[in-house]
Amino acid sequence: MGLTKSKEGKLKENEEMVSIEQFDVRGMSCANCALSIEKVLKNTTGVNNAVVNFASESVRVVFDPKVINIGAIYDRVKDAGYTPTEESAAQERDRTAAREGNWVVFSAVMSLPVIPIMYLFEMNLLVTYILLLMATVVQFTAGWTFYRGAFHALKNRSANMDVLVTMGITSAYGYSVLTTFPELFFAGPTFFDTSMLLITFIRFGKFLEARAKGRAGQALKKLLELQADRARVLVNGEEREVPASEVTTGDIVVVKPGEKIPVDGEIISGKASIDESMLTGESIPVEKGPGDVVIGATINKSGVIKVKIMKTGKDTVLAGIINMVEEAQSVKPPIQRLADRISNYFVPAVVVIAGITFVIWYFLLQASFVFSFTASIAVLVIACPCALGLATPTAIMVGSGVGLNSGILFKSAAVLEGIAGLQAVGFDKTGTLTKGTPAVTDIVAFSPYSESQILKIAAAGEAPSIHPLAQAVVVKAHQDNVEVSEVKDYTEESGYGIICTFEGKELLIGNIKLMHKHNVNIEAADGDFVRLADLGKTIIFIAYDTKIAGLIALSDVLKENAAEAVKRLHILGLKTFMITGDNKKAASVVGKQVGIDEVIAEILPEDKIENIRHYQNRGFKVAMVGDGINDAPALAQADIGIAIGSGTDVAKEAGDVVLVRNNIMDVERAIRLGRITFIKIRQNLFWALIYNMVGIPVAAGVLYPVTGKLLPPEWAGLAMAFSSVSVVINSLLIKRFAKKIAD
């Protein structure tokens, strides 16, 4: 996304002109980093508001351009220790994940040999110096990022995970350096292995975190790519091709079959079938003529039309959708990492406890300096947040791996956390609950014709057409092994239907307007027409030799397992609803068939997003399931957006979860997997905290009066490592649920 504007121009807020900018930022290691940037920006003169989204690594800032410019805002972010970037956020995240992976390999290669060296060789001066050299290299290469992050966090008067990590590795390394030179400092054991393994473990956690982040900003890029590149403008009666961006309000453009309508306008001449699926999600083109409004990026399927441009730039419908996606994605995720929230209090608490430990032993109990210092160092080492740092990413890694094997792609760690708390699930209709393409559902034949004869006649007339309804009839004929013959004198009347000659007689195929235009008596079809229309189906009339011969009804049919998927969601205790731009009759029929709780029909994308907000305002955690471009704003607004894998790239980018197999049953499976994973995350955090609650007092020496021994720092390091291993093992237990998820 880069340093891109979220809105063109400016808007009025409290009668003052303000600007809104959105840009990407790199260097954040946890949610507390996002809070630090927000704090810095909100305390900047001229900045009205700032929202930092850690998941998408983006900043959205509202400011007074008379007081401060965007360059100064970038400088404030840089002063806080973070970097505004002009590169694609997705590309930057890919590079970050690769860098973190390289650091993990480097750290592991340097650290793993230390363990056998320490335990298999006699700790003489040479071995100690070798360990010092190896630890120093790791400390100030792979470990340097933690020092840098901790420095900026403390500079901004906050405490993040980097502060905790820095305390742990510095304590372990620093203590070991001191004991390496007993003639200068004091004698004692070294635990260089502890500092090196700490760095390796935490680097591994950062690598998992980098891989887990999604690419939300790509949705805006995909939407922008929908716009037409060129437009055919009428100038003095002649067509002139120009870039679509140069079209202005009032221009007349010519749009031919197969071309995109450049921007929003009104048809002034001609008729055409307009594919508005990018807007409404409906697969069946809409017949439009003079006076009808057409939307930019929709496709003219048939007929030449002249369009007077009514809206351009930020005022178009597509630009509005882009803006809604952008605004919805800039809202901070509702779930913050528990470990990061705890770190705000945990870091100063550990520092205080370590200080108190030293003071009590050295000043009050008159213990030696080495003894007191060893106890305080042990407190810092055992309190290192390796387990806290791994609690979420390891569970996320295993859970997302199970999901991927099941055809469920989670885009970020926050998604697996958030999906577990869902209370309501909204569905788009077309392409989500239904197959997304029209299919023949009913054939009505009037005497003397049979259904197979009607299908043969209709297929012959529809075969030359590229209209989706016509092609659906031809597909039905092929499925029923009906021969498709050729017709003569074929013509299409846009907005009406087809006129041709079949076996020497006139054949009319189209809507009721075509029948009226050619004075065909359709009284015999009235009853069936009303019955099928009441079911929300599209009706094609077939008149042969000037008489009504039959009807063919088409509709978008349900996916085979849609009803079962909704049933399973109800079993999980979730409320379900459907939001569609389709007519109420068709929507109600689909809603009844699948057992949906609430049906909301005949709405545009802006209404979809408002309906999502309506549920959220009622206190529901909402998921939205969709596959079309028109679903992108709702997917972004929902707490969790679930995109069908066969849908548009925009829907998949805007969604938080992608159902790769295009299986609607995977909605329920994704929620179940999210709940299982979130349980493991909570268990991991619980045991990590319990470990600290028990380990810190032990390290401080509360058991010394009973045991007569102080916990050695290397034992504290071993205990820390054990806590990390236990977290990883607990996360791996998620794999046991893989078979249950597949049920």
Side-chain angles (χ1 to χ4, degrees):
M1 189 163 56
L3 301 178
T4 54
K5 289 186 179 181
S6 62
K7 285 186 179 179
E8 296 180 15
K10 302 178 181 178
L11 54 87
K12 279 196 172 184
E13 188 174 276
N14 298 327
E15 299 304 320
E16 295 182 359
M17 297 298 291
V18 299
S19 288
I20 298 178
E21 294 278 351
Q22 182 162 318
F23 56 92
D24 299 321
V25 64
R26 68 171 182 256
M28 293 190 288
S29 63
C30 67
N32 281 11
C33 296
L35 294 175
S36 296
I37 298 174
E38 279 189 9
K39 181 180 177 181
V40 167
L41 290 179
K42 287 180 178 179
N43 290 333
T44 300
T45 303
V47 174
N48 297 12
N49 191 32
V51 177
V52 181
N53 188 325
F54 173 59
S56 62
E57 297 183 324
S58 64
V59 178
R60 186 178 178 88
V61 60
V62 182
F63 62 96
D64 186 347
K66 296 179 180 178
V67 179
I68 190 172
N69 59 33
I70 192 63
I73 292 174
Y74 295 156
D75 290 339
R76 292 290 288 158
V77 174
K78 291 176 183 176
D79 290 341
Y82 307 95
T83 307
T85 175
E86 297 183 4
E87 295 179 300
S88 162
Q91 293 176 352
E92 175 59 29
R93 277 191 286 271
D94 289 341
R95 278 193 288 272
T96 298
R99 283 196 300 267
E100 292 297 341
N102 292 336
W103 279 119
V104 170
V105 173
F106 173 79
S107 303
V109 169
M110 293 293 292
S111 303
L112 294 181
V114 172
I115 299 175
I117 289 175
M118 292 194 67
Y119 292 100
L120 297 180
F121 293 88
E122 181 181 351
M123 289 298 293
N124 55 38
L125 197 60
L126 177 61
V127 172
T128 302
Y129 286 165
I130 290 174
L131 292 176
L132 171 61
L133 177 62
M134 295 175 68
T136 301
V137 171
V138 174
Q139 190 81 11
F140 298 106
T141 55
W144 185 248
T145 184
F146 305 120
Y147 285 101
R148 185 171 56 247
F151 169 76
H152 288 296
L154 296 175
K155 177 183 175 183
N156 296 324
R157 299 180 182 180
S158 66
N160 62 6
M161 296 296 287
D162 287 333
V163 173
L164 290 170
V165 174
T166 300
M167 290 174 57
I169 62 176
T170 301
S171 300
Y173 174 79
Y175 179 86
S176 298
V177 170
L178 296 178
T179 58
T180 299
F181 305 98
E183 66 279 1
L184 296 178
F185 301 102
F186 50 82
T190 62
F191 47 102
F192 287 118
D193 60 323
T194 299
S195 66
M196 296 174 75
L197 288 173
L198 285 176
I199 291 172
T200 301
F201 282 144
I202 300 300
R203 273 291 189 178
F204 180 60
K206 290 176 76 68
F207 167 66
L208 297 178
E209 188 70 26
R211 288 190 61 185
K213 288 184 178 179
R215 300 178 179 183
Q218 288 295 301
L220 300 177
K221 180 181 177 182
K222 295 290 184 180
L223 283 172
L224 288 168
E225 288 175 352
L226 289 172
Q227 300 177 88
D229 295 325
R230 311 288 293 179
R232 194 176 284 103
V233 180
L234 274 182
V235 180
N236 298 323
E238 295 183 358
E239 296 180 12
R240 182 180 300 172
E241 192 170 298
V242 300
S245 58
E246 295 182 5
V247 175
T248 60
T249 302
D251 283 349
I252 306 297
V253 298
V254 178
V255 185
K256 297 180 179 180
E259 295 180 343
K260 286 183 180 180
I261 295 169
V263 286
D264 299 2
E266 178 182 313
I267 297 176
I268 58 174
S269 72
K271 294 181 179 180
S273 298
I274 307 298
D275 180 357
E276 295 186 333
S277 58
M278 60 77 63
L279 179 68
T280 65
E282 286 308 302
S283 58
I284 300 175
V286 179
E287 303 294 339
K288 294 199 173 186
D292 291 329
V293 173
V294 290
I295 306 301
T298 57
I299 301 171
N300 179 5
K301 302 296 287 187
S302 66
V304 178
I305 54 175
K306 293 180 181 179
V307 178
K308 182 178 181 180
I309 302 305
M310 308 297 290
K311 296 179 180 178
T312 60
K314 63 184 177 62
D315 297 323
T316 64
V317 171
L318 182 59
I321 294 176
I322 292 171
N323 185 59
M324 283 188 286
V325 173
E326 193 171 43
E327 287 185 347
Q329 288 184 343
S330 70
V331 176
K332 187 185 300 183
I335 297 176
Q336 299 290 343
R337 294 199 179 280
L338 182 58
D340 289 330
R341 291 203 300 268
I342 293 172
S343 69
N344 264 327
Y345 305 97
F346 186 69
V347 176
V350 171
V351 173
V352 170
I353 292 172
I356 292 174
T357 298
F358 181 84
V359 169
I360 291 176
W361 283 112
Y362 188 67
F363 292 103
L364 299 183
L365 301 179
Q366 301 298 308
S368 68
F369 176 82
V370 172
F371 182 96
S372 305
F373 186 67
T374 299
S376 61
I377 290 295
V379 168
L380 292 175
V381 171
I382 206 167
C384 183
C386 192
L388 280 172
L390 288 174
T392 295
T394 53
I396 294 298
M397 181 189 70
V398 179
S400 60
V402 171
L404 188 58
N405 290 334
S406 303
I408 303 167
L409 176 61
F410 297 95
K411 287 191 173 180
S412 71
V415 174
L416 269 167
E417 294 179 28
I419 202 170
L422 290 177
Q423 298 163 302
V425 180
F427 291 91
D428 173 50
K429 181 180 77 69
T430 306
T432 302
L433 291 173
T434 65
K435 293 183 177 180
T437 54
V440 174
T441 59
D442 303 87
I443 299 175
V444 180
F446 303 116
S447 181
Y449 303 102
S450 65
E451 291 185 7
S452 61
Q453 288 176 315
I454 292 299
L455 182 57
K456 179 178 180 179
I457 294 170
E462 298 280 32
S465 175
I466 62 171
H467 196 287
L469 293 179
Q471 290 302 304
V473 173
V474 176
V475 168
K476 175 64 173 174
H478 289 315
Q479 290 173 345
D480 291 0
N481 295 317
V482 173
E483 180 186 358
V484 179
S485 304
E486 292 186 3
V487 296
K488 297 180 180 179
D489 305 323
Y490 177 89
T491 59
E492 283 191 38
E493 288 194 19
S494 182
Y496 291 88
I498 293 166
I499 304 171
C500 60
T501 300
F502 177 68
E503 296 182 352
K505 298 177 183 179
E506 185 182 57
L507 172 62
L508 305 176
I509 304 175
N511 56 28
I512 196 171
K513 294 189 296 181
L514 181 66
M515 301 297 110
H516 290 325
K517 182 177 180 180
H518 290 267
N519 299 316
V520 177
N521 187 339
I522 60 171
E523 289 183 5
D526 285 346
D528 292 300
F529 172 72
V530 172
R531 173 178 61 83
L532 295 171
D534 285 342
L535 295 176
K537 299 183 179 184
T538 301
I539 315 300
I540 294 176
F541 288 81
I542 297 96
Y544 187 50
D545 195 18
T546 72
K547 297 179 181 178
I548 188 71
L551 303 176
I552 293 181
L554 303 95
S555 70
D556 190 4
V557 296
L558 277 181
K559 291 181 178 178
E560 290 78 4
N561 49 15
E564 177 64 20
V566 172
K567 178 182 177 182
R568 290 194 179 192
L569 291 174
H570 289 157
I571 292 174
L572 291 181
L574 297 168
K575 181 177 177 61
T576 59
F577 59 96
M578 182 174 71
I579 307 177
T580 178
D582 203 357
N583 65 76
K584 290 182 179 179
K585 286 184 179 180
S588 297
V589 170
V590 171
K592 186 176 181 180
Q593 289 174 334
V594 300
I596 213 94
D597 291 330
E598 183 180 0
V599 175
I600 307 163
E602 297 181 0
I603 58 173
L604 293 174
E606 55 266 33
D607 299 314
K608 286 190 177 186
I609 203 171
E610 285 302 322
N611 277 278
I612 296 293
R613 286 176 178 155
H614 172 69
Y615 274 91
Q616 290 172 326
N617 292 337
R618 290 165 56 189
F620 286 98
K621 294 294 182 182
V622 183
M624 177 65 191
V625 186
D627 73 318
I629 294 163
N630 60 300
D631 300 318
L635 289 172
Q637 174 63 35
D639 297 289
I640 300 293
I642 302 176
I644 301 297
S646 63
T648 64
D649 288 341
V650 173
K652 286 184 282 188
E653 293 292 351
D656 303 297
V657 181
V658 178
L659 306 184
V660 180
R661 300 184 306 185
N662 191 28
N663 189 344
I664 197 69
M665 292 287 288
D666 286 339
V667 174
E668 183 264 352
R669 293 184 181 120
I671 294 171
R672 273 198 292 152
L673 178 57
R675 290 183 178 183
I676 292 168
T677 304
F678 191 54
I679 287 172
K680 288 300 177 184
I681 292 173
R682 288 189 294 184
Q683 289 175 349
N684 288 346
L685 292 175
F686 172 78
W687 288 114
L689 292 172
I690 288 296
Y691 152 79
N692 279 295
M693 291 174 64
V694 174
I696 289 175
V698 171
V702 296
L703 295 181
Y704 183 79
V706 177
T707 63
K709 293 183 179 180
L710 193 65
L711 180 68
E714 63 268 29
W715 286 23
L718 183 62
M720 180 283 308
F722 177 76
S723 70
S724 301
V725 172
S726 66
V727 164
V728 174
I729 292 175
N730 188 49
S731 297
L732 290 173
L733 294 177
I734 296 174
K735 290 186 176 181
R736 296 187 308 172
F737 296 94
K739 292 184 179 179
K740 294 182 180 180
I741 291 298
D743 293 338

